[in-house]
Amino acid sequence: MRKLIATVFNYSLDGLLADEGTEFWKFCFDLPEIREPDDPAHLDFLQSAYAHVMGRAAYEAISRSMTTTAADHPFAEILNAGRKVVFSRTLRTADWANTTIAAGDTAEEIDMLRRGGDGYIVVWGGVSLWRSLMRLDLIDELHVSLFPYVAGEGTRLFDGVPSSYRLDLVSSTASSSGIVELQYRRHR
């Protein structure tokens, strides 16, 4: 059965996500390793995913970026060619190549994606989808990019999720710019 791996990027020391237009957002996207990621292991991780899962808002932002403004971004080739599933009950069409819409029960849709093989599925977000998957206890791993920044403003990722959501640290790696890549596995 395929693992579900949530990738949480642009996360501050005070537990906030970088909302577009904030100083934290600007800080994140001014870093060269975010604008032009070149870590072969991370690119291989994305390339090797069975599917890339997103909520509607994340899908709209990422698809727009990867097909227009950031079409030369290292993720663009991977995401444009990869299998994508957007979770939405309001989206009727998905114009981004290789995208299907999952509009049914979230747990059942995830279960169908997980069946039939090994490997993993990358969950890109957004916040509503991450929270829903945590409440349903469907996430197997969390990969968190923790930035050396106290944001003071932004969205709290873990609002409304179970209060006893135990994780086991698998690995932690610091970059030269101070970003710490944390990999957690859901404690079962």
Side-chain angles (χ1 to χ4, degrees):
M1 183 174 277
R2 295 180 185 97
K3 291 190 299 185
L4 201 63
I5 301 174
T7 58
V8 179
F9 38 91
N10 304 344
Y11 197 62
S12 72
L13 283 170
D14 56 339
L16 299 167
L17 295 166
D19 288 345
E20 192 169 358
T22 63
E23 289 300 314
F24 182 34
W25 176 274
K26 293 174 195 163
F27 171 81
C28 293
F29 287 96
D30 280 345
L31 294 172
E33 65 193 273
I34 302 304
R35 283 193 325 271
E36 300 168 16
D38 63 355
D39 177 13
H42 187 67
L43 294 173
D44 184 56
F45 166 74
L46 296 176
Q47 180 74 43
S48 300
Y50 169 74
H52 300 271
V53 171
M54 304 164 204
R56 182 198 47 82
Y59 166 80
E60 288 173 345
I62 295 170
S63 68
R64 183 174 46 253
S65 177
M66 292 296 120
T67 58
T68 56
T69 59
D72 60 343
H73 190 281
F75 293 175
E77 185 177 336
I78 294 167
L79 290 173
N80 287 330
R83 178 180 183 187
K84 295 165 290 292
V85 179
V86 57
F87 278 74
S88 176
R89 290 189 175 85
T90 59
L91 197 63
R92 297 293 166 235
T93 61
D95 298 329
W96 196 6
N98 307 313
T99 301
T100 57
I101 299 172
D105 179 80
T106 302
E108 290 174 12
E109 297 276 4
I110 291 293
D111 187 53
M112 286 189 294
L113 284 170
R114 293 174 112 162
R115 280 189 253 146
D118 294 327
Y120 55 92
I121 299 161
V122 176
V123 182
W124 287 78
V127 174
S128 295
L129 180 59
W130 282 325
R131 289 176 181 164
S132 176
L133 296 172
M134 282 188 266
R135 280 191 299 272
L136 294 167
D137 200 16
L138 296 175
I139 295 175
D140 299 299
E141 290 184 14
L142 274 164
H143 292 193
V144 180
S145 296
L146 183 64
F147 281 68
Y149 196 92
V150 177
E153 63 178 335
T155 302
R156 293 208 174 279
L157 174 62
F158 297 103
D159 282 355
V161 300
S163 58
S164 57
Y165 199 84
R166 184 174 166 191
L167 302 166
D168 297 321
L169 181 64
V170 174
S171 69
S172 62
T173 309
S175 73
S176 60
S177 64
I179 299 170
V180 180
E181 299 294 339
L182 300 163
Q183 182 180 346
Y184 292 100
R185 184 172 299 122
R186 178 71 169 107
H187 184 87
R188 302 219 191 265

